[in-house]
Amino acid sequence: FNGGWQTSLRSPVLGDMVTLFTFCAEVEDTLKRIQGINGVIGTIVVNAEGIPIKTTLDNSTTVQYAGLLHQLTMKARSTVRDIDPQNDLTFLRIRSKKHEIMVSTDKEYLLIVIQNPAE
Amino acid sequence: MSVPHKVGSVKSKQVSSFVMQDEEEGLDTAEGEEWMQGKTLVKPPDQLDLTEAELNEEITRVLKASNPNAPQNVVRYSFKEGCYKPIVFVDQMAIHFELEGNLVHKDSDEGRRLMAKQAEVDDGGGDERPDNVSIKAGKREQKLTNQFNFNERASQTLNNAPRDISCQTEPPPRANFSATANQWEIYDFYVEELQRRVKSKEKHEGQFLNKEEDKSKKKMIQAETQNDDIYQLAKVVKIIERMVNQNIFDDVAQDFMYFEDASDEFRGEKGTLLPLWTFQYDKAKSLSVTALCWNHKYNDLFAVGLGSHEFTQQGGGMLLFYTLKNPSYPEFIFNTASGVMCLDIHEHLSYLVAVGLYDGCVAVYNLKKKTDQPIYNSRASSGKHTSAVMQVKWQKDDLDSNHNFISVSADGRVVSWTLVKHELVFTDIIKLPVIDTIPDDLKDVIPTVGTSLDFHKQKDYSFLVGTEHGKIHKGSKYYSSKFLEKYDAHFMNVTRVRWNPFHPDVFISCGWDWMVKIWDQTMKSPVFTFELKTSVTDVAWAPYSSTVFAAVTTDGKVHVFDLNINKYEALCQQKVVSKKTKLFNIEFNPVHPIIIVGDDRGHVTSLKLSPNLRKKPKEKKGQDLPKGPEVEIAKMEQLLSSLR
């Protein structure tokens, strides 16, 4: 485990605010690995308000994906928790004809990966 | 004036009845007729027609003091009893006519006042005029004005122009608020509230901290929350990585779970091995796999030790942990200063890993800690091995509940290491006996290389050590002076010796002399001997059957045997790696029907055992299949007895 901490000033794809982020090197490595896998079209990291903070796709696509998937995730989470409040949503998978969209959720962030599953 | 009444008119009419007859004819004639024709009856048109008898019928009429129209069944709601109660006494008075009068009693207040006024008016009417005023003035008590001195003046003040003053305050700041109140939001709130209360209690208890400490604590807390956030993201990213990998290796994952080779039915006894995932790491390309170990608690996690078997090619080493859920990248990576030769994961505390290195050091890693360094290292301690450590095995905690493990090394010593606080304390258990061919004066210098070590499953004081010379020594932890038993096992290096997981007397050994031998510890010669065409580097018993074992050889083949089915040859001999790759290690997964093999390229291949290799013995129909180790022991016993 590398214990190195990186501080970087990043302006997100959208919005006027400038967010200060501290990403652990480990997380960065894993993200890079995922992006490098053959078949992965793009990855987006979205914060709790639905604003994308890190992405590998272009602006308009990112905004669209982030907005729509954020709403869907909120709805899915609400459903799961209504049934049992001690439960919580961990991930969501949407398989379509062309791609598979995978959303991994957490209290603060949302990680969206669009993959072309190898058939 | 006289009020005309009928009597008078009748009288007058009687007097002048004939004269005035024309004028009052209507009235008169009616009266006259009535009066003159008293006896003729005139029937009103709606009168009942009754017969004589009915007419003569006597009908009694009773006069009562009660009012026939008064209601007899008045009920009133009683709040005391909460139900309707009939009122018995009903007012029987019927009022026919009511007129409010305006008579006032003369002795009452109002009466006296009125009489006084009346008297005034009467009196005032008869007096002279000038006196009137004075009398009036005297009588009137209200205004004390008199004609001579009285002045009435009025003045008009200046009215201020009416002004409208209004004040407008700034409206209170408004914000739109919307929220949902779901069951889970309520639950979340309660949980947070509970945590806040717990924290406030703790704060109360620890109120003796200095201000500085508080400040530092605050900073810590901030850093922690940041930590937590990022750490949570790490978890999320990990899950996504696994999902992506699952998609890529979807068919392999399906095979792993569900595929059972149907063609096994047609193959008789033989079985096959289905290759599943291959685990490799870029930075480990030049290293070869030297040790493999499955984690008992998390059955999809296994450890790979990387180093080098060659004396001349020693460099660094690595310790990697892979999980079946993520075949593309290891979960944990540790770099070691020299090649890893052996490793063992603690049975109960699966985060403790003991590693033996080529330079003679032993180290213990704690997977829960996030450092790259081992938590214990025998580098500096005095009892460290002088030569490569060939095998390490965890033991049960000792009497002081310290963890300990035992290692055997190429310097011929079997040493027990105890984890005491921050250091490793060593205890020599036994020294391997030197063979007779070495002259006496060199006996201390040239050690017997111990190559393999295994502890008995049930009697964990009893252990076996294999040596470079092909001998296997059985010893006990309680006897440190000599070994209990010696077996002449192989002509060359014994690469592996293992106790049978079920039968207490059976163990297996393999060596570079191409042989795999199965022993009964009571007998000096092996029970079974198998010759595989090349050096056998590793052998392992299957955890599900006492008669199944698998061996790997340097020609890249895996041999699987089941003694219950075939005592003379392997059920499966399959080449699993590309040519010229040697296989060095094999391990069975404790739960799933897969094996992992490590080769000299640093790759680990996982293979699934086909059903033929996993057979349980058939029972007679009607009998319940007995399960458990007893069955396995019985199986083995059966085999052995047939050969004795």
Side-chain angles (χ1 to χ4, degrees), chain A residues 24-117:
Chain A
C24 182
E26 195 187 302
V27 171
E28 287 270 22
D29 279 341
T30 320
L31 271 176
K32 267 194 211 133
R33 254 185 287 135
I34 295 175
Q35 279 156 214
I37 292 175
N38 222 358
V40 170
I41 298 169
T43 56
I44 308 170
V45 180
V46 179
N47 75 351
E49 283 140 35
I51 300 170
I53 47 184
K54 202 175 195 302
T55 176
T56 57
L57 302 166
D58 60 274
N59 205 342
S60 51
T61 323
T62 304
V63 167
Q64 199 179 23
Y65 268 105
L68 294 168
L69 284 166
H70 182 254
Q71 288 176 26
L72 183 64
T73 316
M74 288 299 125
K75 187 74 185 172
R77 176 178 280 149
S78 185
T79 311
V80 168
R81 300 208 72 195
D82 264 344
I83 294 168
D84 177 9
Q86 289 181 325
N87 208 352
D88 197 6
L89 184 69
T90 36
F91 57 80
L92 199 61
R93 254 176 155 161
I94 305 164
R95 204 170 180 126
S96 71
K97 279 190 209 164
K98 295 189 187 170
H99 322 294
E100 177 162 347
I101 303 171
M102 287 173 279
V103 179
S104 184
T105 68
D106 165 68
K107 275 200 177 155
E108 292 286 325
Y109 300 101
L110 213 67
L111 179 57
I112 304 167
V113 171
I114 306 135
Q115 189 191 13
N116 221 335

Side-chain angles (χ1 to χ4, degrees), chain B residues 364-377:
Chain B
V364 177
Y365 286 88
N366 184 336
L367 294 179
K368 279 190 184 174
K369 303 247 159 81
K370 298 205 181 86
T371 58
D372 202 23
Q373 295 305 309
I375 51 170
Y376 295 97
N377 203 328

Side-chain angles (χ1 to χ4, degrees), chain B residues 589-633:
Chain B
N589 184 309
V591 172
H592 304 292
I594 59 173
I595 50 173
I596 42 171
V597 289
D599 61 24
D600 66 344
R601 296 252 169 95
H603 299 181
V604 177
T605 316
S606 58
L607 303 150
K608 184 164 180 177
L609 298 160
S610 72
N612 267 352
L613 305 170
R614 292 186 262 140
K615 270 203 178 135
K616 299 256 159 112
K618 280 184 192 161
E619 286 294 325
K620 291 178 199 163
K621 281 184 190 174
Q623 265 182 334
D624 292 321
L625 278 168
K627 300 219 167 139
E630 294 81 34
V631 182
E632 307 294 337
I633 296 174

Side-chain angles (χ1 to χ4, degrees), chain B residues 43-273:
Chain B
K43 271 192 179 176
D46 56 350
Q47 194 183 55
L48 282 173
D49 274 335
L50 293 171
T51 59
E52 280 288 324
E54 279 171 7
L55 281 170
N56 290 335
E57 201 184 325
E58 285 202 357
I59 299 168
T60 16
R61 280 176 154 249
V62 178
L63 287 176
K64 283 190 265 185
S66 58
N67 182 358
N69 291 329
Q72 285 155 341
N73 52 355
V74 176
V75 285
R76 201 154 273 159
Y77 188 75
S78 156
F79 284 94
K80 182 180 160 199
E81 271 135 61
C83 63
Y84 286 97
K85 300 210 84 180
I87 309 275
V88 181
F89 300 106
V90 179
D91 207 359
Q92 300 294 330
M93 189 174 80
I95 296 173
H96 291 287
F97 176 71
E98 201 173 326
L99 173 70
E100 279 207 18
N102 46 11
L103 295 174
V104 176
H105 197 273
K106 65 177 176 182
D107 286 334
S108 71
D109 284 335
E110 213 186 323
R112 274 189 230 129
R113 252 187 279 139
L114 284 172
M115 281 183 66
K117 268 198 181 166
Q118 197 70 20
E120 275 176 38
V121 173
D122 286 340
D123 286 338
D127 283 343
E128 281 186 324
R129 210 165 160 131
D131 288 329
N132 269 357
V133 181
S134 61
I135 292 168
K136 276 185 194 168
K139 299 272 178 182
R140 261 186 257 159
E141 283 155 11
Q142 292 111 327
K143 245 186 185 176
L144 288 175
T145 54
N146 83 56
Q147 199 182 17
F148 306 103
N149 301 350
F150 178 67
N151 273 341
E152 197 171 315
R153 273 163 100 183
S155 66
Q156 186 164 32
T157 55
L158 184 67
N159 286 336
N160 284 331
R163 280 173 215 277
D164 267 327
I165 296 181
S166 64
C167 184
Q168 187 172 32
T169 53
E170 224 174 79
R174 268 191 234 176
N176 270 339
F177 175 77
S178 69
T180 48
N182 284 328
Q183 196 182 10
W184 53 270
E185 292 207 11
I186 297 169
Y187 172 81
D188 272 348
F189 180 77
Y190 274 120
V191 165
E192 271 173 36
E193 181 66 32
L194 203 75
Q195 282 175 346
R196 244 179 280 154
R197 282 199 192 156
V198 167
K199 271 185 191 166
S200 66
K201 266 188 197 166
E202 282 170 17
K203 271 186 190 168
H204 268 284
E205 282 165 22
Q207 252 175 359
F208 304 108
L209 293 168
N210 288 339
K211 272 191 184 177
E212 285 179 24
E213 279 181 283
D214 277 345
K215 276 185 194 166
S216 62
K217 259 203 173 180
K218 274 184 196 169
K219 280 184 190 167
M220 274 294 289
I221 293 166
Q222 273 179 355
E224 268 172 20
T225 47
Q226 272 186 335
N227 261 10
D228 284 349
D229 285 351
I230 300 310
Y231 196 63
Q232 277 174 350
L233 190 59
K235 191 177 172 196
V236 158
V237 165
K238 202 177 213 156
I239 292 174
I240 277 266
E241 198 190 354
R242 288 186 182 187
M243 283 162 75
V244 170
N245 273 307
Q246 191 186 24
N247 274 341
I248 297 171
F249 294 108
D250 184 44
D251 45 352
V252 178
Q254 299 287 337
D255 281 346
F256 161 71
M257 274 314 284
Y258 303 116
F259 181 73
E260 300 291 350
D261 203 344
S263 61
D264 261 12
E265 290 171 39
F266 310 112
R267 236 178 269 151
E269 295 170 339
K270 307 273 177 189
T272 50
L273 296 166

